[in-house]
Amino acid sequence: LKILNSGNPLTQGLAITRTALEPAMPTVFEAGLDLCRRSDVLIHHFMLHGARAAAERTGTSFATVAFAFLQTPSRYIHPPGFPDIGEWGNAWQWKIASLALNATMGRDVNRFRVSIGMPPFRDLMRDGWASPTLNLIAASPALLDRPADWPSWYHIPGFLELPTHEHEALSPEVEQFLASGPPPVYRSEEHTSELQSLRHLVCRLLL
């Protein structure tokens, strides 16, 4: 409800990270260490900083993945929650968004990094989220012409698609929810900025 009731992308992001992601980060870090010990490359969602810390601790190469370009700074893209006011205006808005992020979510991330003996990030959005060697934005290139000011290691490969396989069984709770009414609307964590529009719909939601 806190996410739905807020039209502010920063408030929505903090609600998700502080209730769902940050409590799990020690487990993510330990799992990342295990993966790094038996892998050449670690690929992780850009917000799972515990996985990045594991790669840095073990000296393992790592790549990051995002499923939308909205959190990737560019003067050709305006930050979520801001208007599009042109290239220079967008650039200043990203600076403002970065300051707000560093003062909130960045503190949470750096608190964890310091607790495991890792150096804090100076700027979460630019230094802490995207890999400095390969950052994949797994969205359709038809949605965005690659911005000219993105670093050369930022790529838009298209949507990720798993090979045909047997899907894992759904939990009994999810199965019961799906069977108890009409098909729900599904939204992923990447698209919380759109949740505000769903408040006026009479529907079931799977987030």
Side-chain angles (χ1 to χ4, degrees), residues 182-197:
V185 173
Y186 171 75
R187 299 308 302 167
S188 70
E189 181 272 332
E190 286 280 352
H191 299 91
T192 54
S193 60
E194 300 173 9
L195 287 175
Q196 187 74 5
S197 62

Side-chain angles (χ1 to χ4, degrees), residues 21-205:
L21 294 185
E22 288 305 322
M25 213 51 66
T27 302
V28 171
F29 176 64
E30 292 299 328
L33 290 175
D34 177 61
L35 284 171
C36 288
R37 294 187 186 105
R38 48 193 175 90
S39 305
D40 296 322
V41 179
L42 180 68
I43 303 173
H44 66 88
H45 188 275
F46 73 98
M47 292 187 72
L48 293 182
H49 59 88
R52 172 172 180 157
E56 292 174 332
R57 174 68 60 81
T58 58
T60 304
S61 299
F62 65 95
T64 45
V65 178
F67 296 99
F69 50 80
L70 300 177
Q71 296 90 1
T72 311
S74 167
R75 66 179 182 271
Y76 301 104
I77 306 171
H78 61 91
F82 287 82
D84 187 349
I85 55 176
E87 294 182 23
W88 291 107
N90 290 341
W92 276 105
Q93 289 181 147
W94 279 111
K95 292 180 184 295
I96 295 170
S98 181
L99 289 172
L101 196 66
N102 290 332
T104 52
M105 201 179 299
R107 290 182 178 178
D108 297 337
V109 171
N110 284 334
R111 187 180 302 112
F112 174 79
R113 287 180 63 84
V114 170
S115 74
I116 59 173
M118 301 297 292
F121 294 126
R122 292 184 59 188
D123 187 288
L124 178 61
M125 189 184 299
R126 297 183 183 277
D127 304 328
W129 274 355
S131 164
T133 54
L134 179 61
N135 184 44
L136 302 175
I137 294 88
S140 172
L143 299 176
L144 177 75
D145 292 329
R146 188 186 186 283
D149 57 347
W150 273 2
S152 60
W153 58 92
Y154 282 35
H155 298 279
I156 309 177
F159 296 115
L160 301 182
E161 183 176 349
L162 294 174
T164 303
H165 68 291
E166 284 294 325
H167 294 287
E168 295 182 12
L170 297 175
S171 69
E173 294 81 5
V174 174
E175 289 280 15
Q176 182 180 6
F177 175 75
L178 293 175
S180 64
V185 173
Y186 171 75
R187 299 308 302 167
S188 70
E189 181 272 332
E190 286 280 352
H191 299 91
T192 54
S193 60
E194 300 173 9
L195 287 175
Q196 187 74 5
S197 62
L198 298 179
R199 296 180 60 202
H200 306 291
L201 298 180
V202 179
C203 64
R204 303 185 327 139
L205 177 66

